[in-house]
Amino acid sequence: MTIKPGEIAIVGAAESTRIGAVPEMAQIMLHADAALNAMADAGLKPSDIDGVACVGPMMPQQIAHYLGITPKWVDGTGVGGCSFMLHVRHAAAAIHAGYAKTILITHGESGKSRINATPRPPEPQSLNGQFEAPFGPMGPPTLFPIPVLRYMKATGTTHEHLAQVAVVQREWAGKNPRAAFRDPITIADVLNSKMIAYPFRLLQCCLVTDGGGALILTSADRAKDFPQKPVYILGSGESVETTMVSQMQDFTSSRAFRVAGPTAMEMAGIKHSDVDHLMIYDAFAHLPLYGLEDLGFVKRGEAKDFIWEGNTRPGGKLPLNTNGGGLSYTHTGMYGMFALQESVRQVRGIAPAQVPDVEISVCHGVGGMFSASGTIVMSNQRP
Amino acid sequence: MALEPGRPRPEPTPETKHFWEGTKNGKLLLQRCGDTGKAYFPPRPFSPYTGTCNVQVFEASGRATLHSYVIHHRPVPGFKPPYAIAVVELEEGPRMMTNIIDCPQTPDALVLDMPLEVAFTPMDDDITLALFRPAKGA
């Protein structure tokens, strides 16, 4: 039988105790710190957990063993920073299928301090190693923005429009005591910040931090017995395209976004006008524009004006990236977990920059260089 | 043009060896799907459009246009910043990442859709990269 909207719920959610610079913790401990916080949030102990998901290089067996869990179901799906959206989707299916009852999803990354951290360079025999690495890319800031000039030309988006994305997110971050950067910025500040990889400057690139997060899912029927108000999963979607940004089908739109987003919204049975709160993983300033368009919140080429006119800022009709996002809140390397945490907080009504009366939140993730995507629709009401 | 040392060196595999043999011999070799007639890249011994092995290797014209790029401003071994990391669209359809040589590495000089031509540039005795330069007469 098909899984129904609201059949599975998030009953535990927490970030690591500290985010930003956490040099006292290795990567595995950032996972564990967040996991223990999420278990406390849900009133559970490790022996209550029977499913574990996390993303490489940390394997589920490492996390399960470290935390003292004997899982009946594991998932190590690793498609970059949106892997956690896929974990939520897979966990919901597993609970629906009866493979596990109570699933823990963890993230921890020592992105800044780099203790026990993820190695980066591509293998010289891989396709990326043969057909991209020789031309001088050095990590996501040189690769993720490669399609931007084409997008700008196709849509009439300007440097000022792309600066405004960072300005608006800083407004949200200003309301969030845990955000790394909180001081207001102007378009001029963004356009005068250090050039990293034209067209993007420092304030249009995500932070690099340490941190972790964890989620616990179970069936909606069991969820009502937990201490927190359940956050129901209404819908989910996933897709991948290519790890080589040079090989994206269309530089002005992500194929993975166009599959994952609509799949999730359709499964949830919601319209765009039903969405009270939106998270779009913003590793760089162009991603919210692609997300708004590819998920159908606006038509092609309209995202720049939608943000410019204030629709996504505090008080706007579609609050977006309300924790400050990867640009101002935190970005460990795989920020998707933090986007999910903010959606959970908004739906629970406990976010630092709480949007009034949030019932439905859409949380949309991207994997590095548009390689993958996952979307989760959450609600505090079970349909 | 001589390349600075330190640039990451590609290592061919059985599926890509012909491409690297080609660049070494001054040929840009693509593959074409025999079922659909569409060219594709990167190399693989089957068609990504139909999944069949009805594919042929053919020599591309070497003509392309500038599809998009970034200009990197931070130091990387083998490169002198600022330098452009570009994606070009080949006349035959496929796109590939490359660098643009014989051209100032500035937004004013690097104009989207400008015509380019391939510039085979040896890294060492075995590996030659397909870089691109502004097309002559353009």
Side-chain angles (χ1 to χ4, degrees):
Chain A
M1 223 172 67
T2 318
I3 193 166
K4 290 192 186 69
E7 192 184 313
I8 309 299
I10 295 169
V11 294
E15 296 180 359
S16 53
T17 310
R18 298 200 314 115
I19 57 173
V22 192
E24 71 275 18
M25 287 189 190
Q27 197 147 291
I28 194 168
M29 189 57 213
L30 289 164
H31 279 260
D33 180 46
L36 294 170
N37 289 345
M39 284 187 243
D41 186 56
L44 296 176
K45 49 191 187 305
S47 56
D48 298 320
I49 305 287
D50 63 355
V52 171
C54 61
V55 49
M58 203 61 72
M59 293 186 288
Q61 54 267 52
Q62 291 171 286
I63 296 302
H65 179 253
Y66 201 58
L67 287 167
I69 294 167
T70 305
K72 293 156 70 179
W73 174 91
V74 297
D75 182 11
T77 300
V79 292
C82 64
S83 298
F84 318 103
M85 282 78 174
L86 279 71
H87 295 159
V88 167
R89 176 168 158 87
H90 301 174
I95 293 165
H96 172 79
Y99 291 169
K101 282 194 167 67
T102 313
I103 292 177
L104 171 70
I105 303 168
T106 69
H107 167 60
E109 193 163 0
S110 185
K112 183 182 178 71
S113 303
R114 304 200 67 73
I115 305 167
N116 167 221
T118 313
R120 281 194 177 134
E123 287 293 314
Q125 291 187 331
S126 68
L127 292 175
N128 292 72
Q130 291 184 71
F131 299 112
E132 291 197 341
F135 308 106
M138 183 55 84
T142 56
L143 288 168
F144 226 146
I146 279 188
V148 172
L149 290 179
R150 177 55 54 181
Y151 176 85
M152 291 171 75
K153 181 166 180 174
T155 60
T157 300
T158 64
H159 294 287
E160 287 74 18
H161 287 128
L162 285 161
Q164 179 73 352
V165 174
V167 170
V168 171
Q169 292 200 191
R170 186 62 65 86
E171 273 188 64
W172 284 111
K175 298 171 176 291
N176 186 348
R178 261 167 80 91
F181 289 140
R182 304 186 59 211
D183 295 337
I185 52 174
T186 64
I187 287 175
D189 291 334
V190 177
L191 296 181
N192 290 322
S193 63
K194 186 177 163 194
M195 183 65 85
I196 301 295
Y198 175 86
F200 279 171
R201 295 172 179 272
L202 183 66
L203 293 178
Q204 292 165 307
C205 302
C206 65
L207 299 154
V208 181
T209 61
D210 305 327
L215 294 167
I216 298 170
L217 279 74
T218 192
S219 66
D221 294 337
R222 292 181 69 217
K224 55 185 182 298
D225 301 327
F226 283 78
Q228 303 290 349
K229 199 170 172 342
V231 173
Y232 299 100
I233 308 297
L234 298 191
S236 62
E238 65 185 284
S239 191
V240 296
E241 186 174 355
T242 169
T243 59
M244 302 173 75
V245 68
S246 60
Q247 301 306 314
M248 275 180 86
Q249 257 178 13
D250 179 348
F251 274 31
T252 70
S253 167
S254 161
R255 190 188 78 189
F257 283 18
R258 298 196 311 274
V259 175
T263 301
M265 304 264 299
E266 196 174 309
M267 178 177 167
I270 59 164
K271 305 183 297 293
H272 292 94
S273 57
D274 297 327
V275 177
D276 303 309
H277 171 256
L278 178 62
M279 297 297 290
I280 298 174
Y281 187 147
D282 58 321
F284 295 90
H286 57 316
L287 290 163
L289 300 171
Y290 281 68
L292 284 167
E293 293 179 8
D294 287 340
L295 268 59
F297 285 96
V298 297
K299 294 198 183 74
R300 173 70 73 91
E302 290 180 356
K304 60 182 190 301
D305 298 319
F306 190 76
I307 290 176
W308 189 264
E309 288 160 6
N311 291 299
T312 62
R313 67 165 27 134
K317 71 176 178 190
L318 185 60
L320 170 68
N321 293 343
T322 50
N323 57 356
L327 297 181
S328 286
Y329 177 62
T330 206
H331 193 293
T332 53
M334 288 190 279
Y335 164 81
M337 175 57 82
F338 298 94
L340 288 164
Q341 295 288 336
E342 176 66 7
S343 281
V344 169
R345 287 190 293 261
Q346 288 285 349
V347 166
R348 282 179 172 180
I350 58 162
Q354 181 63 43
V355 173
D357 307 318
V358 172
E359 181 183 319
I360 292 180
S361 174
V362 170
C363 189
H364 179 72
V366 65
M369 284 54 91
F370 289 111
S371 64
S373 185
T375 312
I376 302 295
V377 182
M378 304 179 200
S379 175
N380 51 23
Q381 304 298 316
R382 188 176 180 186
Chain B
M1 177 192 140
L3 294 174
E4 283 191 43
R7 189 183 276 251
R9 185 182 186 280
E11 283 181 25
T13 64
E15 300 80 12
T16 65
K17 200 164 164 279
H18 69 274
F19 176 86
W20 294 111
E21 284 293 323
T23 55
K24 193 164 82 173
N25 294 311
K27 292 180 200 298
L28 187 62
L29 299 182
L30 295 179
Q31 286 162 301
R32 196 190 313 277
C33 164
D35 301 322
T36 64
K38 283 159 70 178
Y40 65 86
F41 180 84
R44 73 209 82 163
F46 59 91
S47 164
Y49 305 115
T50 63
T52 74
C53 293
N54 179 18
V55 300
Q56 300 97 37
V57 175
F58 71 100
E59 185 178 352
S61 70
R63 287 189 288 274
T65 53
L66 182 56
H67 193 64
S68 204
Y69 64 92
V70 297
I71 303 174
H72 192 209
H73 282 251
R74 293 187 300 172
V76 171
F79 295 84
K80 263 204 196 89
Y83 64 95
I85 305 164
V87 174
V88 299
E89 186 165 289
L90 301 173
E91 190 174 58
E92 293 79 7
R95 298 190 191 121
M96 53 173 61
M97 190 172 282
T98 188
N99 301 120
I100 310 298
I101 61 170
D102 301 340
C103 181
Q105 305 290 289
T106 63
D108 286 344
L110 294 162
V111 179
L112 292 202
D113 301 314
M114 69 192 277
L116 303 166
E117 63 186 27
V118 70
F120 293 107
T121 309
M123 265 187 97
D124 54 35
D125 288 348
D126 291 320
I127 294 291
T128 293
L129 298 178
L131 305 186
F132 283 78
R133 65 162 70 94
K136 288 195 181 76

